[in-house]
Amino acid sequence: MLMRRVPGRLAPLLSRYGLILTAALLLYCIFQPAFSASDNLRAKGPGDDQSNVPKGVPEAPDLQAAGVPGQVPMEEAPRREKVYKPAPETYAPIEDPFPWLTANNKLPPILPNNLPPVPHVPEHTPLLIGFTRNWPMLLQCVASYIAAGWPADDIYVVENTGTFRSNKDGKLGLQNPFFLNHSQLKTLGVHVLTTPTLLSFAQLQNYYLHTAVQRGWETFFWSHQDVLVFSDEEVKKKDRDHDYQEDPYATLYERAVGLMRYLNEPDMPEWATHFFAYDHLTLVNRDAYLEVGAWDTHIPFYATDCDIYLRLHWAGYWQPQSEAGLIFDVSAPLDDVGALFRLPGSHATFQGDPVFADPGRPGREVEQDQEREIHAWADKEGETYQHLIAVAERMFEAKWVDEGIYRNTWQTKQSGGAGEPFYRDPAGFEAGIKTMIDAGRRVFADKWGHRGCNLIEMGIGVDDAWRLERDWDVSEGEGHLGGDWGKDWTGID
Ligand SMILES: *[C@@H]1O[C@H](CO)[C@@H](O)[C@H](O)[C@H]1NC(C)=O
């Protein structure tokens, strides 16, 4: 029976002797490389038992004797004096960002007006928040979504630390940049998904899409971890469909759900993405992304967003934007995240607050007096909405005051963890990411023949991918990194 499936030309090979010969040859091919590799790895000593090597298997070639290039014997390698870089900057140890949670081990009370709808809305409304470094920033982000009214059970922190089970098993300490407290997230009622290895931004986005496919989510929200969100409690913007007689304001969640329903109405154009405050909070229509081939993982970080949003645009998808509440892009965590729940005794203060840190700030004394008054009030009553917003505005301001100092430092504030599993040098990790960011921009530039996101303005279209010569002056050298990397596609709608 078996013979019949073998193609005619191979059949004679499988005669009795042929079969034995083929099997022997096959076994040899499989095991030969393994034997020679293990041979090379093992230091040979006089008492070394080599009886596990079958007779007749040739000796592994002596690479050094054969003069294989690159195999310089150790004693002949040129020696250079090792020169060390200056010692990396160290920061003061960070403190528990949410002492109330550690002490009480339960979800703090949520303002009645911010409570999520019960029962849950019929649609799936998962919110994915990626995490690689800086636990205080993540906890602040997650806490702000919950305090603003996003159902905790819909929040999925995607742990992308590349430290395998270390966090789940409690093996990393608070000073380790990749530390994340699984039990505290569970206490808040949010889920944690762990990526199998450290993913780039583009890979992480594809992992979100994969997760959405696996779980049957046709749409999902995702958020950056360095944001601080609030529901618009002062109703600066009125939502069309909200019943203000019954309920004083629509929460961030209610408005986001309303927007999703609006986009899914039958006579709306095909849409791919809805941006709330650029992509700080984004609603994704899964199948649109899959249709255009998902994120280009050869552009690992910056510019990969331009690449996909342009491809979605060229494929005819609508990518509108609007507001659902207040979303601040911040560079520092609050000293006490409990302030977001307006817990008495939890204060909305942060390191680097320009009111205290900037001696040249106009009206600084008056502001400092106000801060002291609010401090006394919050000790008894908890923070007020107005003060939280004022502080969040200063946090946003501080992020942009001095781009070099504020913008990028939140990612590198923890510098401990030496000796813990999967330890990586924090500055080295940062350097590796920066190199990959540059590499991604180079890939983008070569893919579209242009250094920058403004492809539409340049008349470049989807069919031009990998077809165009570089449009920049190559005599400038290999500097792919100039160009206009602004978010040019955001005007599209
Ligand atoms: C993680 O959270 C739990 C529960 O609050 C706490 O007991 C534990 O000490 C925390 N782990 C670290 C390393 O901070």
Side-chain angles (χ1 to χ4, degrees), residues 102 105 172 179 181 183-184:
T102 307
N105 243 331
L172 307 188
F179 169 77
N181 195 324
S183 52
Q184 291 204 323

Side-chain angles (χ1 to χ4, degrees), residues 374-434:
I374 292 162
H375 198 277
W377 168 272
D379 256 340
K380 288 197 220 78
E381 310 288 336
E383 285 288 349
T384 63
Y385 175 75
Q386 288 74 13
H387 186 239
L388 283 170
I389 299 298
V391 171
E393 277 167 357
R394 297 209 296 271
M395 291 167 90
F396 173 73
E397 200 187 309
K399 182 162 187 166
W400 296 99
V401 163
D402 182 332
E403 194 154 323
I405 295 177
Y406 292 101
R407 173 81 173 96
N408 296 317
T409 48
W410 68 264
Q411 292 153 322
T412 52
K413 284 289 185 193
Q414 286 148 296
S415 50
E420 291 171 1
F422 300 92
Y423 175 73
R424 307 180 192 96
D425 181 273
F429 183 81
E430 180 71 11
I433 299 248
K434 287 205 166 126

Side-chain angles (χ1 to χ4, degrees), residues 124-428:
H124 289 299
T125 53
L127 167 62
L128 304 176
I129 304 174
F131 169 80
T132 295
R133 286 176 288 178
N134 203 317
W135 163 245
M137 293 286 284
L138 175 79
L139 193 55
Q140 162 169 279
C141 173
V142 168
S144 77
Y145 274 104
I146 296 173
W150 206 284
D153 191 38
D154 281 354
I155 299 177
Y156 293 78
V157 169
V158 182
E159 184 198 345
N160 180 38
T161 58
T163 63
F164 292 71
R165 285 184 59 94
S166 307
N167 274 316
K168 205 173 262 172
D169 295 342
K171 295 210 172 116
L172 307 188
L174 181 61
Q175 304 308 322
N176 189 315
F178 306 101
F179 169 77
L180 173 145
N181 195 324
H182 278 253
S183 52
Q184 291 204 323
L185 290 176
K186 204 163 280 168
T187 302
L188 291 175
V190 313
H191 305 267
V192 185
L193 306 177
T194 304
T195 57
T197 183
L198 180 68
L199 305 178
S200 69
F201 177 78
Q203 289 170 328
L204 184 66
Q205 289 294 335
N206 282 348
Y207 179 78
Y208 292 173
L209 292 167
H210 164 83
T211 304
V213 170
Q214 296 296 102
R215 293 175 182 246
W217 301 334
E218 289 182 9
T219 56
F220 62 89
F221 295 86
W222 68 271
S223 170
H224 286 276
Q225 73 163 96
D226 56 345
V227 299
L228 185 49
V229 305
F230 298 91
S231 289
D232 179 7
E233 297 180 20
E234 290 181 327
V235 198
K236 291 252 164 61
K237 286 236 168 76
K238 276 217 165 165
D239 208 49
R240 280 188 310 160
D241 301 323
H242 191 75
D243 182 358
Y244 292 91
Q245 301 295 322
E246 284 293 309
D247 188 16
Y249 56 86
T251 65
L252 176 87
Y253 177 70
E254 288 163 345
R255 289 177 65 182
V257 170
L259 216 292
M260 184 177 83
R261 287 181 181 160
Y262 169 72
L263 290 174
N264 284 334
E265 277 170 20
D267 38 0
M268 294 302 272
E270 293 265 355
W271 64 280
T273 311
H274 186 92
F275 298 112
F276 301 95
Y278 174 42
D279 70 348
H280 299 313
L281 169 63
T282 306
L283 171 61
V284 167
N285 190 3
R286 180 194 71 196
D287 292 342
Y289 282 64
L290 298 179
E291 162 93 20
V292 301
W295 294 71
D296 184 344
T297 52
H298 283 180
I299 311 174
F301 294 94
Y302 296 121
T304 201
D305 49 354
C306 301
D307 180 87
I308 193 154
Y309 297 138
L310 284 163
R311 287 187 287 118
L312 287 163
H313 167 72
W314 288 322
Y317 289 106
W318 187 36
Q319 299 176 78
Q321 46 192 324
S322 70
E323 287 175 21
L326 290 89
I327 300 179
F328 297 92
D329 173 14
V330 298
S331 65
L334 289 167
D335 298 324
D336 181 352
V337 166
L340 297 170
F341 291 93
R342 300 170 217 188
L343 299 168
S346 285
H347 299 280
T349 59
F350 68 103
Q351 303 300 308
D353 185 343
V355 167
F356 296 97
D358 175 8
R361 187 178 172 89
R364 180 169 182 252
E365 276 74 31
V366 179
E367 280 187 307
Q368 289 186 355
D369 282 346
Q370 282 170 357
E371 287 301 314
R372 281 186 273 271
E373 266 174 50
I374 292 162
H375 198 277
W377 168 272
D379 256 340
K380 288 197 220 78
E381 310 288 336
E383 285 288 349
T384 63
Y385 175 75
Q386 288 74 13
H387 186 239
L388 283 170
I389 299 298
V391 171
E393 277 167 357
R394 297 209 296 271
M395 291 167 90
F396 173 73
E397 200 187 309
K399 182 162 187 166
W400 296 99
V401 163
D402 182 332
E403 194 154 323
I405 295 177
Y406 292 101
R407 173 81 173 96
N408 296 317
T409 48
W410 68 264
Q411 292 153 322
T412 52
K413 284 289 185 193
Q414 286 148 296
S415 50
E420 291 171 1
F422 300 92
Y423 175 73
R424 307 180 192 96
D425 181 273

